[in-house]
């Protein structure tokens, strides 16, 4: 397959995950079924997904000068990326997340301390200009400080790099920023917060899509878990079916979808084909524990679909 270039700017977190029979109630202590520690953060997760789905990846992030930061460097150095730009600070810890995974559907609850992820400076962003200009796709999220995200998106816009914004975790953003993005990929909760429309299913997602297009967004994919996703672009909508899966851990599902989507668009796939591949890719991911460690290969997602996309 044709390997496109994806530049991922985003967070690195150290994830501490506990598997539970159910979520604890306030003030309650429960014994976990299991626990694990591993690499996470939406940026790092999506970068690994894009890589394993077939792209050449340049990851950009920031960590603290602490033990978790050393863990981050070892993980990123061994991941297989084309390039890594990792800034650091002694003023904040490396980002970290405490995650509960519980129940038959393997749903999750997450508490994140962003730490160093929120300290990216203008000067550090400016150092990334060549990497962004050389990429086919810039993929970013909202787990870093907004001024850095805005500046990086502006650099991508100036250089004709296709911009995917995954607005997670949600924070308020201006309509001006949204209008600069080529593709927006919110889930139902994020879409509700962006529009004020209660998004629960395909019809309500369609109404929210109309409202987002009115803000100047050209194309968007609203992910709806087991209901699939709604693709809306160029005045047309398409339902992207969810692939059947037996979930073990849904923590990395959205990151898997976004990374795989970026990899396929960078390789020249249509938006529709890329979204269908991303759906298959995410369905394989949720059948494994962990986030970055659960990302499948291109071949595994292709086999889940039955055919190759690119």
């Amino acid at each position: 397959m044709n390997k496109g270039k994806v530049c991922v700017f985003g967070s690195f977190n150290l994830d501490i995950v506990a598997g539970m029979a159910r979520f604890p109630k306030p003030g309650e202590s429960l014994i976990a079924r299991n626990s694990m520690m591993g690499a996470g953060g939406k940026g790092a997760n999506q970068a690994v997904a894009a890589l394993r789905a077939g792209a050449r990846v340049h990851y950009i992030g920031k960590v603290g000068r602490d033990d978790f930061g050393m863990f981050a460097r070892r993980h990123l150095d061994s991941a297989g990326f084309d390039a890594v730009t990792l800034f650091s600070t002694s003023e904040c810890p490396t980002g970290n997340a405490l995650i509960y995974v519980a129940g038959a559907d393997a749903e999750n609850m997450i508490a994140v301390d962003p730490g160093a992820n929120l300290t990216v400076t203008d000067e550090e962003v400016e150092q990334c200009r060549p990497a962004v200009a050389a990429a086919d796709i810039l993929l970013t999220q909202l787990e870093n400080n907004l001024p850095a995200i805005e500046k990086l998106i502006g650099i991508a816009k100036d250089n004709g790099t296709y911009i995917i914004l995954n607005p997670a975790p949600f924070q308020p953003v201006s309509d001006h920023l949204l209008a600069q993005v080529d593709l927006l990929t919110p889930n139902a909760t994020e879409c509700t917060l962006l529009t004020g429309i209660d998004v629960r299913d395909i019809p309500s997602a369609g109404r929210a899509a109309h409202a987002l297009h009115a803000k100047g967004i050209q194309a968007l994919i609203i992910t709806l878990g087991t209901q699939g996703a709604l693709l809306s672009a160029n005045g047309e909508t398409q339902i992207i079916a969810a692939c059947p899966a037996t979930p073990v851990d849904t923590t990395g599902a959205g990151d898997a979808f976004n990374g795989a989507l970026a990899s396929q668009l960078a390789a020249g796939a249509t938006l529709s084909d890329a979204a269908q591949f991303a759906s298959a890719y995410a369905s394989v991911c949720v059948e494994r524990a962990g986030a970055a460690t659960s990302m499948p290969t291109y071949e595994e997602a292709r086999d889940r679909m039955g055919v190759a996309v690119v």
Side-chain angles (χ1 to χ4, degrees), residues 228-247:
L230 179 75
L231 189 164
S232 182
N234 302 317
E236 298 182 355
T237 60
Q238 178 184 349
I239 298 172
I240 306 298
C243 291
T246 303

Side-chain angles (χ1 to χ4, degrees), residues 241-299:
C243 291
T246 303
V248 171
D249 182 355
T250 59
T251 304
D255 295 334
F257 185 96
N258 279 276
L261 180 73
S263 77
Q264 295 302 291
L265 290 174
T270 66
L271 187 53
S272 174
D273 285 347
Q276 291 177 63
F277 176 88
S279 178
Y281 190 92
S283 76
V284 179
C285 171
V286 301
E287 294 184 336
R288 304 169 178 177
T293 56
S294 70
M295 298 302 171
T297 64
Y298 171 85
E299 290 76 16

Side-chain angles (χ1 to χ4, degrees), residues 48 168 259 300:
V48 171
E300 288 171 319

Side-chain angles (χ1 to χ4, degrees), residues 113-158:
D113 175 6
N117 293 309
L118 296 183
T119 68
V120 182
T121 66
D122 285 351
E123 292 76 14
E124 288 167 341
V125 172
E126 191 60 35
Q127 293 179 46
C128 303
R129 184 178 291 272
V132 175
D136 299 300
I137 304 282
L138 170 67
L139 173 59
T140 190
Q141 317 80 32
L142 296 178
E143 209 164 31
N144 295 89
N145 46 311
L146 195 55
I149 296 167
E150 292 172 335
K151 186 174 179 64
L152 209 71
I153 286 176
I155 291 172
K157 193 73 174 177
D158 291 343

